[in-house]
Amino acid sequence: MKKILILDFDGTLADTRGLIVKTMQQTIAEMQLPERTDEECAAMIGLPLSKTFTTLLPIDAETGARCAETYRRVFDENNQPGVVPLFPNVAETLKELHQQGVTITIASSRSRASLMGFVEEFGFVDLVSLVLGADDVKEAKPHPEPVLQTLRQMGFEPEEAIVVGDTWYDIEMGRRAGAKTVGVTFGNGTREQMLEHGADYIVDDFAQLKDVVFSE
């Protein structure tokens, strides 16, 4: 049976935590908002930008939108080539899965332009068949729309899909779409949260994804 992987980006493929937290802290300081710890900022990774700030801080939607604009500007300043590394075994595993005929896609709360920049930087252009960003959907994760839209565009059924992510948002999104779900433990979420939300598999190394894909 044909297979499609729908991959999160931050905390799943690449270790963006340091860059994201630094940018969030600089945004909060520039906007003169109440201080938050690095851990509190990291816990928001995976949410759309505006919702990140309205969840993290006692602010209204308009202020959240201004925070998002500031964040994007500061992020672009901070995001220099080489700042964000891939997690171990990501590149090799994606290449092998692609060679085995698995369709590889990305669905993230990050903007499409930002995602495409990373896809090009990491040399994944020929491996990734579809990139879906926050600006491509009306409803962000944990809503199932990113998965359902990916399946429609690529011509797959939910039972042919495996959603991979590092937070419960990813697991919930995949589960609600009817796909199998895999949680990775090296990102920003916790094993316990992902299991509570119904993760079918938990892996500690990205290379273990090969076993999951070929066991389904």
Side-chain angles (χ1 to χ4, degrees):
M1 186 173 71
K2 60 181 183 177
K3 298 282 179 65
I4 182 170
L5 278 182
I6 302 174
L7 303 164
D8 173 50
F9 183 79
D10 297 293
T12 300
L13 298 180
D15 187 2
T16 53
R17 177 181 173 129
L19 176 60
I20 290 173
V21 169
K22 176 183 177 181
T23 304
M24 289 178 68
Q25 292 288 27
Q26 290 174 324
T27 299
I28 290 169
E30 183 172 323
M31 297 287 292
Q32 298 183 326
L33 294 167
E35 293 182 2
R36 290 293 183 265
T37 66
D38 287 355
E39 289 71 25
E40 288 172 323
C41 290
M44 298 296 106
I45 296 175
L47 291 174
L49 272 180
S50 293
K51 189 172 183 181
T52 288
F53 288 102
T54 57
T55 302
L56 182 64
L57 298 158
I59 57 177
D60 58 23
E62 182 181 348
T63 306
R66 288 194 289 117
C67 285
E69 290 176 8
T70 301
Y71 176 97
R72 292 187 187 98
R73 173 177 53 77
V74 176
F75 185 91
D76 287 342
E77 295 167 359
N78 290 336
N79 184 27
Q80 300 300 315
V83 168
V84 173
L86 290 171
F87 285 110
N89 299 317
V90 166
E92 301 87 342
T93 301
L94 292 184
K95 288 175 184 175
E96 185 171 342
L97 289 170
H98 181 263
Q99 289 170 353
Q100 294 291 329
V102 177
T103 298
I104 297 169
T105 68
I106 294 174
S108 169
S109 294
R110 179 177 294 283
S111 73
R112 165 187 273 276
S114 178
L115 288 168
M116 289 307 300
F118 282 119
V119 166
E120 292 169 5
E121 179 180 342
F122 294 132
F124 290 166
V125 173
D126 294 333
L127 301 180
V128 177
S129 299
L130 177 69
V131 174
L132 208 65
D135 39 346
D136 294 314
V137 297
K138 292 180 180 178
E139 299 285 349
K141 62 179 76 171
H143 193 282
E145 184 187 347
V147 172
L148 296 175
Q149 183 172 323
T150 297
L151 296 178
R152 283 195 300 270
Q153 290 193 39
M154 299 304 300
F156 283 81
E157 298 298 325
E159 58 269 22
E160 298 170 322
I162 300 173
V163 174
V164 186
D166 66 313
T167 70
W168 71 264
Y169 311 121
D170 303 298
I171 302 304
E172 186 72 14
M173 173 182 68
R175 187 185 62 78
R176 290 170 64 185
K180 291 292 186 180
T181 57
V182 181
V184 301
T185 60
F186 44 79
N188 301 296
T190 67
R191 179 187 300 266
E192 292 72 24
Q193 286 178 329
M194 291 186 286
L195 286 173
E196 285 173 7
H197 285 267
D200 294 297
Y201 301 92
I202 299 289
V203 299
D204 301 311
D205 185 315
F206 197 85
Q208 293 175 289
L209 191 58
K210 291 181 290 185
D211 295 330
V212 173
V213 171
F214 297 123
S215 69
E216 278 296 318

